[in-house]
Amino acid sequence: MDPNSLEAFYTKIAEQDNGATGVMPPADLQREIGHFNVFNVAVLMRRRHERPPMTFDRRAFYKISLIQGRSRIEYADQAVEVAGPALWFATSRVPYRWLPHDQDQTGHFCIFTEEFLLPVKGALAVEELPVFQPGGCPLLPLSPDEHVALAPIFEKMECEMASTYTYKYDLLRAYLLELIHAGQKLQPVSIQTPAHNASARVAALFTDLLERQFPLATPQQQLPLRTAKDYADALAVHVNHLNRALKDTTGHTTTTLISNRVAQEARMLLKQTTWTVSEIADSLGFADVAHFCNFFKRQTGLVPGAFRG
């Protein structure tokens, strides 16, 4: 069983909570497209002292959490301490984990697959939504008023999941979209409203293609695309056109954006795996360890061994 699959998620929750109410997948969801469920954080915290820390990894589903309590959230190569209410959007593309500092945790979270939103006419693909795109703000601190406004959405989800209403999943999709759009309205304006021009379109296609090169799951896996020309060829545009579009929309060159993303993956592999530096260098497309070490030091100021500690 894939340890990051939905099946593994439910198996782990059931083992840790002795089948607590609401943690098993609903039987009627088998008739649905995709998957959705909602959970009460306080219920799942009851047996936390017997539970190992959450693993740092990518999951096979999306997750939106409304949390309140002292905790630490790690995602990609970021780590953020949370002291008050916050809304957190976790994508299946980025590894993450939540580390509560104490038992005094409240809130809700919902999980869903991209297919769950397919029946919504005209809905964007999940990864096209600004809040789930690279460069977005996945963790949003909330004011007391914002927290009060968002909490009832999760409460309605929880209530509806327990109902026998024939069309409850249609209603749950509406609640999920309400939650996503409420979160996007809290995003910085530049992220809320991406420009709809030719350069922005090319930049969006490039970003999607760049993110699809990851994760590198084993040392034997090779990074498929490595240079600006590789990406330009894959997108069927001239490399100069790609570079100009990215410069216009992001302020960075194609090479810089690729290097930044490769460096981010290198940091994650160094911290989260036992791969050797040589294996990481090879998977990321470097000719030898020396070239990788020089690249990594330019990006981070440290050699790989010192960064890994």
Side-chain angles (χ1 to χ4, degrees):
M1 182 187 300
D2 180 352
N4 298 311
S5 66
L6 279 165
E7 292 81 3
F9 170 79
Y10 281 109
T11 298
K12 182 177 180 181
I13 291 291
E15 289 173 349
Q16 294 169 349
D17 291 88
N18 286 335
T21 301
V23 299
M24 297 306 295
D28 57 352
L29 194 58
Q30 294 179 359
R31 301 195 300 270
E32 270 296 309
I33 296 174
H35 183 89
F36 176 89
N37 209 345
V38 63
F39 303 87
N40 188 307
V41 172
V43 170
L44 298 182
M45 288 296 294
R46 287 174 183 168
R47 296 171 61 86
R48 183 195 167 227
H49 64 284
E50 299 178 12
R51 187 179 307 167
M54 183 178 183
T55 59
F56 183 87
D57 217 327
R58 298 166 174 87
R59 271 71 182 178
F61 48 86
Y62 297 86
K63 181 178 180 181
I64 305 177
S65 306
L66 181 67
I67 52 179
Q68 185 163 18
R70 294 175 55 254
S71 62
R72 175 185 175 92
I73 290 176
E74 299 175 355
Y75 61 93
D77 59 344
Q78 306 292 315
V80 181
E81 294 292 331
V82 179
L87 187 65
W88 175 30
F89 292 83
T91 169
S92 61
R93 289 183 175 180
V94 176
Y96 65 85
R97 66 175 171 176
W98 177 60
L99 300 171
H101 291 321
D102 49 48
Q103 287 287 116
D104 190 20
Q105 305 288 330
T106 59
H108 291 81
F109 68 87
C110 65
I111 62 172
F112 62 97
T113 59
E114 185 166 10
E115 292 77 14
F116 183 72
L117 289 176
L118 287 179
V120 181
K121 185 177 180 180
L124 290 172
V126 177
E127 288 295 346
E128 293 181 40
L129 295 166
V131 75
F132 286 111
Q133 289 186 7
C137 295
L139 184 62
L140 301 167
L142 300 175
S143 69
D145 288 344
E146 290 166 344
H147 181 260
V148 167
L150 288 170
I153 302 176
F154 284 94
E155 291 165 3
K156 288 188 292 185
M157 288 176 172
E158 190 173 28
C159 180
E160 201 57 49
M161 282 299 297
S163 82
T164 58
Y165 178 48
T166 302
Y167 303 102
K168 73 178 185 181
Y169 288 105
D170 293 322
L171 190 52
L172 284 163
R173 286 187 187 92
Y175 292 153
L176 178 58
L177 286 172
E178 180 184 3
L179 180 59
I180 289 171
H181 288 294
Q184 291 192 161
K185 288 170 70 175
L186 297 174
Q187 298 271 307
V189 174
S190 60
I191 295 174
Q192 285 182 28
T193 314
H196 294 288
N197 56 41
S199 292
R201 178 62 177 164
V202 171
L205 291 171
F206 166 81
T207 300
D208 180 69
L209 183 59
L210 178 63
E211 288 300 318
R212 281 195 278 118
Q213 308 312 302
F214 306 96
L216 298 175
T218 70
Q220 290 71 42
Q221 187 178 350
Q222 297 287 315
L223 194 63
L225 305 177
R226 188 63 179 84
T227 68
K229 188 176 186 309
D230 291 340
Y231 283 89
D233 290 345
L235 294 171
V237 299
H238 193 279
V239 67
N240 291 341
H241 177 64
L242 175 60
N243 199 52
R244 192 161 49 246
L246 293 175
K247 191 73 172 177
D248 289 345
T249 54
T250 71
H252 299 292
T253 65
T254 311
T255 299
T256 297
L257 292 170
I258 296 169
S259 295
N260 290 345
R261 185 62 183 86
V262 169
Q264 181 188 66
E265 191 73 7
R267 290 193 294 269
M268 286 191 288
L269 291 172
L270 286 165
K271 286 293 188 182
Q272 304 298 331
T273 74
T274 58
W275 300 8
T276 66
V277 173
S278 177
E279 288 173 331
I280 294 172
D282 186 55
S283 288
L284 292 174
F286 290 88
D288 53 49
V289 173
H291 281 90
F292 171 64
C293 291
N294 289 334
F295 164 83
F296 193 82
K297 187 171 184 179
R298 286 197 305 271
Q299 290 284 323
T300 67
L302 295 170
V303 295
F307 179 83
R308 174 171 268 174

